[in-house]
Amino acid sequence: MAGFATNATRRPAVSDLPAPTAFVPTPEQESALTHPAPLLVLAGPGTGKTTVLTHRIARSILELGAEPASILALTFTDKAAAEMAERLADILGAAGRAEAAHEVCVGTFHSFGGRIVREHLLELGFDRAPSVLTTPGSWQLLSAIFDELTFEAIKLTQSIGQHFGRLLKLFSACKDSLIGPAELASFAELLTRQSGADVVTEHLGNQAAMLREAAIAFDRYERAKRERGLIDFGDHLYLPVRLIRELPGVGGELRQRYRLVFVDEYQDTNHAQRELLMLLLEPERPNIVVIGDDDQSIYGWRGAVVENILRFGTEPVFERRAVKRLTLTLNRRSRPPILDLANQVIAAVGNRHDKRIEYHPKNLTGRATIGRRVCASDRDEGEWIAERIEQMHSEATAYEGKRRGYGAFAVLCRRRSMFGPICRALDRRGIPYELVGGTGFFGRWEIKDILSYL
Ligand SMILES: Nc1ncnc2c1ncn2[C@@H]1O[C@H](COP(=O)(O)OP(=O)(O)OP(=O)(O)O)[C@@H](O)[C@H]1O
Ligand SMILES: [Mg+2]
């Protein structure tokens, strides 16, 4: 979650920006570009992972003659997918093959899964393309079927809004782990059989009863979606994986179509995404390049499983072709004090690959100051931030011609509740900003009020 201020009035014109320099790979990048797949590039921030990935895709087309349409390039977030598509378009465009960039299938796992769903409507039991359920839509649907559900083990002590939120979170977590209502019900059954009279097993019994009710609600919710021709976010992966597992021809056709698979930001994938990826590979020649940084796994709260990248290569599909692991060590983005601090912070985290990061010579000159300030209150903090931005504004205007003026500042907050005092202080000084990740629909007080009346 982040809030940042950008200069809404003055963005750098294209002519202000330095001309793009030709890409000259470092020796370690060269290995990552050319080493035969299957390949895992596990490397730290700003070391050129996305650069290598996009150049490797371009190289497959330009030098090795791969059909652009046979290439699948996936990542987790819309932002990362857009960055990958843009960089690829730049490289191919510069080589006079702009049209090829449109043929490569670049997108998020979800958009790719959605495409599979649309291509196999009949096999999935839809008579027309399903509409995608938004979060408010999921709440409405749950509300519509609520009277048909019974909650005894699950106590309705909280507001109904919280109850809906918890149920939908459970359904979504199940989908991310490829667990449907039947599997959830079987798990509840298993727990019931384990439970008995002593305190621990009695506790298990209570949990089982709650899960049983949740599984019934899940089943009803799934049927309600079906009846209305709807799918939700989790279905974009759940349905394709089920389909490929049940109809081998579908997987065969996809493997035939996508001969080369690339993944960026693999550290943020969940269980369903990993399964889908494995189903797209031929055990005879798993032609895949996966890139990521386990230290940047930030989507745990959305089901990301960092073990996906740490254990990549141990899956059965790689039994005949071992995955080569490479690393990149040269960071081009940050100056030494920033890298040193980042390294110190991350060193304290367990379950990670220790990665060496080297400074790029260009970053050894110039300033990078990290400071710490303790403020007496949120209001003081907001005031201090706004004051510093105002003071530094003239300096920022001269910043290497890249992002100028207020666009050179970013304010990151740990919690949304901290936005208020900072925004008010910026407003008081007339500093323009753009707020990213503000209160969502369900966090707005008027919506909370309505929900608590339901
Ligand atoms: N060989 C190179 N020559 C010049 N610039 C490079 C080279 N390799 C990478 N860069 C530049 O370094 C910066 C960081 O590269 P990139 O975004 O690919 O890193 P990354 O490892 O994907 O970062 P992140 O960890 O944020 O995903 C970019 O501006 C990129 O253009
Ligand atoms: Mg990257």
Side-chain angles (χ1 to χ4, degrees):
M1 191 276 303
F4 63 83
T6 60
N7 184 351
T9 51
R10 169 79 173 97
R11 284 200 181 271
V14 172
S15 56
D16 293 342
L17 299 172
T21 45
F23 171 62
V24 181
T26 59
E28 57 187 10
Q29 288 179 336
E30 182 65 34
S31 305
L33 279 168
T34 52
H35 197 286
L39 174 68
L40 167 67
V41 181
L42 191 58
T47 50
K49 296 184 298 297
T50 305
T51 305
V52 162
L53 193 82
T54 44
H55 277 276
R56 187 163 173 143
I57 296 173
R59 188 176 163 269
S60 315
I61 298 169
L62 300 173
E63 293 175 28
L64 307 176
E67 277 295 321
S70 70
I71 297 176
L72 177 64
L74 297 175
T75 184
F76 184 68
T77 61
D78 287 334
K79 183 172 173 288
E83 185 183 340
M84 198 154 63
E86 195 180 314
R87 292 204 201 180
L88 186 62
D90 284 350
I91 303 167
L92 290 172
R97 292 287 308 273
E99 86 301 338
H102 300 293
E103 290 172 45
V104 177
C105 180
V106 183
T108 60
F109 279 91
H110 279 93
S111 65
F112 176 64
R115 176 193 272 221
I116 301 178
V117 170
R118 287 192 300 280
E119 284 177 359
H120 296 277
L121 292 176
L122 295 182
E123 292 100 316
L124 285 166
F126 295 105
D127 52 10
R128 63 192 147 82
S131 304
V132 179
L133 205 51
T134 55
T135 309
S138 304
W139 285 59
Q140 280 174 7
L141 188 60
L142 203 49
S143 170
I145 58 169
F146 194 66
D147 289 343
E148 299 169 41
L149 306 172
T150 322
F151 294 102
E152 280 165 6
I154 301 177
K155 301 272 177 284
L156 294 177
T157 48
Q158 297 158 321
S159 77
I160 203 73
Q162 278 173 315
H163 187 62
F164 279 15
R166 283 178 56 191
L167 280 177
L168 289 171
K169 202 167 159 191
L170 174 74
F171 301 165
S172 149
C174 284
K175 285 285 171 83
D176 286 350
S177 301
L178 299 173
I179 294 169
E183 287 85 5
L184 191 63
S186 313
F187 183 60
E189 191 53 40
L190 191 74
L191 276 186
T192 312
R193 274 189 263 122
Q194 307 280 325
S195 61
D198 68 67
V199 180
V200 176
T201 52
E202 193 184 319
H203 177 70
L204 276 186
N206 294 338
Q207 299 283 326
M210 287 198 274
L211 275 183
R212 215 173 23 245
E213 280 178 10
I216 293 169
F218 191 13
D219 183 52
R220 182 65 195 99
Y221 175 75
E222 290 297 299
R223 279 191 289 119
K225 274 191 308 185
R226 258 318 144 101
E227 287 153 14
R228 292 161 174 81
L230 298 166
I231 57 171
D232 61 18
F233 202 57
D235 287 327
H236 285 77
L237 297 160
Y238 180 82
L239 293 177
V241 170
R242 286 249 148 153
L243 182 74
I244 299 171
R245 281 182 181 162
E246 282 163 24
L247 299 177
V250 175
E253 191 276 319
L254 286 167
R255 289 190 289 273
Q256 192 63 29
R257 195 188 317 169
Y258 299 112
R259 316 290 287 191
L260 309 174
V261 181
F262 296 85
V263 185
D264 196 11
E265 309 276 5
Y266 189 59
Q267 74 278 353
D268 284 325
T269 50
N270 63 28
H271 177 71
Q273 286 159 340
R274 189 193 65 156
E275 277 308 294
L276 179 60
L277 199 60
M278 294 305 138
L279 290 168
L280 295 173
L281 302 178
E282 289 290 1
E284 295 304 323
R285 40 163 201 82
N287 215 333
I288 182 166
V289 177
V290 155
I291 293 194
D293 177 6
D294 53 318
D295 291 340
Q296 294 183 60
S297 178
I298 52 174
Y299 283 96
W301 56 279
R302 260 172 63 181
V305 181
V306 71
E307 280 74 19
N308 279 358
I309 194 162
L310 293 172
R311 301 213 188 115
F312 183 77
T314 58
E315 296 85 351
V317 76
F318 299 115
E319 253 160 31
R320 280 172 248 172
R321 294 277 297 273
V323 171
K324 173 77 179 170
R325 277 185 178 216
L326 292 176
T327 190
L328 306 172
T329 53
L330 191 64
N331 177 296
R332 292 172 182 268
R333 197 177 282 144
S334 312
R335 298 214 160 101
I338 296 172
L339 283 180
D340 291 345
L341 182 68
N343 282 336
Q344 272 178 39
V345 171
I346 202 72
V349 175
N351 196 21
R352 62 179 285 267
H353 259 270
D354 202 11
K355 286 179 246 43
R356 192 163 55 92
I357 296 274
E358 286 170 12
Y359 318 126
H360 192 274
K362 86 172 164 68
N363 288 331
L364 294 175
T365 56
R367 275 193 307 142
T369 316
I370 301 173
R372 185 176 78 109
R373 186 177 174 88
V374 179
C375 296
S377 66
D378 286 357
R379 189 187 152 91
D380 279 4
E381 185 183 72
E383 276 306 318
W384 183 79
I385 290 172
E387 193 186 337
R388 284 292 289 148
I389 291 178
E390 204 166 61
Q391 281 168 5
M392 292 167 74
H393 181 219
S394 54
E395 212 179 307
T397 308
Y399 176 66
E400 288 178 8
K402 283 191 179 171
R403 285 199 134 203
R404 294 177 178 218
Y406 292 114
F409 295 90
V411 182
L412 308 180
C413 298
R414 196 166 58 82
R415 287 193 318 265
R416 282 188 189 134
S417 60
M418 294 158 80
F419 286 177
I422 298 171
C423 291
R424 281 193 288 279
L426 293 171
D427 287 339
R428 274 195 288 277
R429 286 172 194 267
I431 299 174
Y433 59 87
E434 181 187 347
L435 191 64
V436 178
T439 307
F441 181 78
F442 288 100
R444 289 166 57 171
W445 64 265
E446 63 272 32
I447 303 300
K448 276 186 174 167
D449 268 4
I450 294 171
L451 285 172
S452 56
Y453 280 117
L454 284 177

